[in-house]
Amino acid sequence: MRALSLAIDAHHALTPELRERIVENVRTRMQEHPYRLLSPEHFRALAALDTAGPPVVSLYLQLTPERRVGSGWRSALSALSHRISRTTDQSTRASVNADIEDIQGALDQQLPELGRGAAFFACRERGIWRQIALPIPLPDSIQIGPRPYLRPLLRTWGRSDRMLLALLSREQSRFFVSHLGTIEEIYRVKGQRIRGMLTDRVPRDRRDALAIQLMKDEAKALASMAEIIGQEFETSHILLCAPPDMSAAFRGHLSKESLSRLTAFETSVHASSAEIGAAAAAIQDQLKAQEERELIDRLREANPVAVSTGTQETLDCLSEGRVLTLVIDDSYAAAGTQCRLCGSLFEDARLSKCPVCGEADLDAVDDLVEAALQQALERRAQIAFVRDPACRSALSDKAPLQALLRY
Ligand SMILES: [Zn+2]
């Protein structure tokens, strides 16, 4: 797998056109290659998709080591497709079978190197095709309907689940995005060939000063690229590995916001993605735990009217559109109820009519958290998972579902 590469030096300054090209390249790249991490923009585009008719097949398949050996995944895929064939009419079945054939073809061709599984969203009739590497194991499932079934993916969509890794050196600089421990190289920049540029025409006593100036120019361009990639992927932190002089120059050109979310780490700029991911893992866990602790403190110390600290209260605020950040104990699982008319969610799974609007037509919801996540996405609320054991127990003292409120 090759990252996009680009040269920035005295002859190729980071012009607005070049900047635009970088953004375009990053976006195109995220569409082309199979088994990409999903960028937030693509995620929102999927969430907005509606064929208003032809069924989209949404299929989640775990890829455990056993399933990766030989074609171990085949029997799991065939079990999933049987689930559908029993329950649908003939024309839907034909359409779904065509999509499953395409999915099988894609898996035959290449299993994702990254991740713990794969998700597919396919509708041949409408030319819809997405294959995504899953950073966490999600249960096997298949759903058909006019809209992609994204709820399980929402569990990987916490606000500090994506981070940017910047590895800088004079020869080359590399940018990675990690998503819950899965890591992918996004961009590679060739450094300047300083020795070649400092020919005999440059007086010997000026060479050092010139070399430093070139390094500073390059660091400025790299800082600008880090900001672009960070915005594109909505990453929460920057992990930086760079020699001291480049590090100082790079930091000097970052925004205040990025700078406050930057941490140094050590690895080799020539290492493989997997090695770099491993080198960053411990520090990423620390950053996440620290973020979770800060969130718990904010919930505890905030004015009581600015937070919601009970599960049902949080669900009420969520459907009213008042939630700014939904905070979820990642291990919480419960069934619930959803009103078909007003969409409100309820912890009580045995309700006979909606306490908000009086509607008697209620849906049983087997995973209340996923339903709440879907609502958070629709209401543009941020999502924060609490995964650290100490933070989880601090949260659960009150409720596994809480929120910081907009008003
Ligand atoms: Zn209702």
Side-chain angles (χ1 to χ4, degrees):
M1 225 188 292
R2 292 185 63 82
L4 290 169
S5 74
L6 182 81
I8 292 182
D9 55 38
H11 308 293
H12 303 84
L14 190 71
T15 57
E17 292 75 30
L18 187 54
R19 195 187 160 90
E20 198 49 48
R21 221 181 83 204
I22 294 168
V23 175
E24 277 310 305
N25 279 351
V26 168
R27 288 190 181 148
T28 311
R29 175 178 159 71
M30 296 315 292
Q31 268 165 349
E32 276 173 356
H33 204 280
Y35 300 113
R36 287 277 159 233
L37 297 178
L38 199 59
S39 77
E41 193 198 342
H42 289 138
F43 184 72
R44 285 191 283 264
L46 264 181
L49 196 79
D50 188 346
T51 67
V56 178
V57 172
S58 305
L59 187 138
Y60 293 80
L61 190 67
Q62 280 200 44
L63 290 170
T64 55
E66 300 78 52
R67 285 190 182 176
R68 285 174 178 274
V69 175
S71 298
W73 51 269
R74 275 173 186 280
S75 51
L77 180 65
S78 129
L80 283 173
S81 63
H82 283 307
R83 260 190 234 172
I84 289 297
S85 45
R86 280 201 306 269
T87 57
T88 49
D89 64 74
Q90 208 174 351
S91 72
T92 306
R93 197 155 63 221
S95 155
V96 168
N97 283 345
D99 294 330
I100 291 178
E101 237 171 69
D102 291 345
I103 293 170
Q104 181 161 341
L107 287 164
D108 263 330
Q109 209 174 10
Q110 189 194 2
L111 288 183
E113 301 158 45
L114 298 169
R116 313 288 291 274
F120 296 87
F121 304 96
C123 174
R124 202 192 269 183
E125 199 179 325
R126 286 295 168 89
I128 295 165
W129 177 258
R130 271 251 179 274
Q131 54 188 59
I132 296 157
L134 296 173
I136 58 171
L138 295 170
D140 287 351
S141 79
I142 186 166
Q143 300 277 338
I144 55 171
R147 304 188 62 182
Y149 177 69
L150 297 176
R151 284 187 178 183
L153 275 187
L154 287 167
R155 288 202 175 264
T156 69
W157 222 245
R159 70 174 175 182
S160 52
D161 290 345
R162 288 177 307 283
M163 297 189 191
L164 174 68
L165 280 62
L167 278 62
L168 315 183
S169 78
R170 304 261 173 142
E171 307 87 65
Q172 62 168 343
S173 296
R174 302 167 74 188
F175 294 101
F176 296 80
V177 169
S178 73
H179 187 180
L180 286 173
T182 298
I183 176 168
E184 184 174 347
E185 184 160 10
I186 302 295
Y187 228 97
R188 190 180 294 208
V189 187
K190 281 188 213 125
Q192 319 161 48
R193 290 174 189 81
I194 290 175
R195 251 163 304 169
M197 297 177 66
L198 301 179
T199 58
D200 292 343
R201 277 174 295 167
V202 179
R204 197 169 286 276
D205 59 340
R206 284 206 54 229
R207 285 183 197 175
D208 282 353
L210 196 57
I212 289 170
Q213 191 51 49
L214 286 172
M215 183 275 290
K216 285 186 175 169
D217 290 348
E218 190 183 1
K220 182 178 177 185
L222 291 169
S224 179
M225 292 182 72
E227 300 277 1
I228 293 172
I229 297 172
Q231 273 165 27
E232 199 62 23
F233 286 88
E234 297 173 18
T235 51
S236 64
H237 293 81
I238 301 178
L239 271 70
L240 174 66
C241 171
D245 54 351
M246 273 189 102
S247 168
F250 178 79
R251 286 166 191 252
H253 290 290
L254 284 180
S255 69
K256 220 185 238 178
E257 168 67 17
S258 298
L259 204 53
S260 71
R261 304 192 143 260
L262 181 139
T263 305
F265 84 117
E266 290 295 329
T267 184
S268 158
V269 76
H270 303 292
S272 69
S273 295
E275 288 164 341
I276 291 164
I283 204 151
Q284 288 182 313
D285 288 346
Q286 282 169 25
L287 289 171
K288 264 190 237 169
Q290 185 188 332
E291 189 112 325
E292 290 176 12
R293 279 193 297 275
E294 286 168 12
L295 201 55
I296 303 283
D297 290 345
R298 277 179 71 190
L299 282 166
R300 192 166 35 211
E301 288 156 16
N303 185 327
V305 299
V307 292
S308 143
T309 53
T311 298
Q312 186 55 52
E313 184 195 354
T314 303
L315 293 171
D316 295 344
C317 293
L318 193 59
S319 41
E320 288 160 18
R322 292 170 58 204
V323 169
L324 181 68
T325 305
L326 182 66
V327 186
I328 306 147
D329 175 343
D330 189 43
S331 65
Y332 176 56
T337 316
Q338 183 161 29
C339 173
R340 284 204 173 195
L341 189 65
C342 72
S344 298
L345 288 165
F346 304 101
E347 218 181 346
D348 186 346
R350 293 155 308 170
L351 285 175
S352 56
K353 67 173 193 178
C354 173
V356 175
C357 72
E359 174 66 41
D361 197 2
L362 301 177
D363 276 333
V365 170
D366 39 332
D367 190 330
L368 190 60
V369 172
E370 284 180 3
L373 289 170
Q374 171 112 31
Q375 220 164 56
L377 181 77
E378 286 159 8
R379 309 269 196 281
R380 298 200 158 263
Q382 279 198 323
I383 295 167
F385 291 100
V386 176
R387 300 192 175 97
D388 178 71
C391 294
R392 268 188 12 223
S393 76
L395 189 72
S396 300
D397 281 348
K398 283 191 175 156
L401 222 53
Q402 300 185 37
L404 298 167
L405 302 178
R406 294 182 209 270
Y407 59 89

